[in-house]
Amino acid sequence: MNAPVLAYAHPQATHTAPLGHASVAYLLVRSSRRSIGLEVGDSGLTVRAPLRVSMANIESVLQGKAQWVLSKLDERHTRTQLTPRIEWQHGALLPYLGGTLQLSLHPAAPRGGELLAVGEYRWVLHLALPVDAPAASIRALVNAWWLRHARTLFTERLQRFAPAVGVQWQSLRLSNARTRWGSAKEDGSIMLNWRLLHFRMPVLDYVVVHELAHLRVMDHSPRFWTVVGATCPDYARLRAELRQHPAPDWVL
């Protein structure tokens, strides 16, 4: 009995190839690059190839990398299935700082949104929208509030921990990356992922300390982890927690 055929499809797919017991629809992007590159992201498989390379060569590379491609696509599918999703409606719940944030829609709410604590690890975000507002309108208003709130909170945590780490940071940028939680440059600029608001404050603080530590040590050598550990002794457990709990699938 033949194994069932699986199907993976990039939403902008231009070509399809049979790889093992799977049918993979992928996006082919040609450019002036010199070699064929394969990339499996949240949308699926993207193949980047030189302008003049033949489809036969592209198919040959795909077949040679079939096991790797399928393993990455399977990981992506599993991650997607496990990732919580948000229903953009009155009463919807979002994970927030290790607890839950409930959306409350009513036209009399403050225009920019108002966050109220209603219990331990429980908050309500009041939004100036009618209860039957379209999902896109709700998400847009939450997006705007979320970014403002993330910048304010991240700035506060950076200011708190920078003296302890012994560094000065210069600027903050917010990121929408799926898997990278932060970065730091030698010029003192810091990038932090807005999705960190979904995690407990100790987890968020670990990432803040991690990036500040890079202003002293730009690699991940034992010396770097010594700097992190001096301010965040529990960093190993917090780092594991960050990896084990997926953030909701929504886009700003």
Side-chain angles (χ1 to χ4, degrees), residues 81-92:
Q81 294 298 108
L82 295 176
T83 299
R85 297 181 181 275
I86 299 169
E87 297 294 334
W88 298 103
Q89 59 189 13
H90 176 70

Side-chain angles (χ1 to χ4, degrees), residues 178-183 191-193 195-196 199 207 242 247:
R178 291 287 183 176
T179 56
R180 189 173 189 181
W181 298 110
S183 67
M191 182 276 289
L192 293 171
N193 194 317
R195 299 175 194 274
L196 288 168
F199 296 91
V207 178
L242 185 64

Side-chain angles (χ1 to χ4, degrees), residues 157-169 205 208-209 212-213 216 226-233:
R157 307 315 283 179
L158 285 166
Q159 290 174 340
R160 174 176 177 176
F161 288 107
V165 179
V167 296
Q168 291 184 339
W169 62 282
D205 285 344
V208 168
V209 171
L212 287 171
R216 287 183 57 182
T226 298
V227 173
V228 173
T231 303
C232 185

Side-chain angles (χ1 to χ4, degrees), residues 11-147:
Q12 298 174 297
T14 55
H15 296 73
T16 301
L19 300 181
H21 291 295
S23 173
V24 179
Y26 62 91
L27 171 64
L28 175 61
V29 179
R30 291 185 180 271
S31 66
S32 57
R33 62 181 292 140
R34 296 184 177 181
S35 60
I36 298 172
L38 308 182
E39 175 185 315
V40 177
D42 288 328
S43 296
L45 174 63
T46 298
V47 178
R48 304 185 186 279
L51 295 171
R52 298 184 181 278
V53 72
S54 69
M55 285 303 302
N57 283 342
I58 293 173
E59 295 291 338
S60 176
V61 170
L62 280 172
Q63 295 302 325
K65 295 286 188 178
Q67 184 174 356
W68 178 85
V69 170
L70 291 178
S71 68
K72 291 297 181 182
L73 287 171
D74 186 57
E75 287 176 10
R76 169 184 165 272
H77 177 73
T78 300
R79 186 171 65 249
T80 299
Q81 294 298 108
L82 295 176
T83 299
R85 297 181 181 275
I86 299 169
E87 297 294 334
W88 298 103
Q89 59 189 13
H90 176 70
L93 298 176
L94 285 72
Y96 173 74
L97 295 184
T100 57
L101 181 154
Q102 185 174 35
L103 303 183
S104 178
L105 311 182
H106 51 92
R111 181 171 183 150
E114 181 181 32
L115 182 69
L116 296 177
V118 295
E120 188 174 11
Y121 293 103
R122 292 176 55 231
W123 293 265
V124 172
L125 177 60
H126 295 279
L127 300 170
L129 288 171
V131 174
D132 59 352
S137 298
I138 299 171
R139 185 174 68 177
L141 201 56
V142 175
N143 287 352
W145 177 87
W146 197 274
L147 285 177

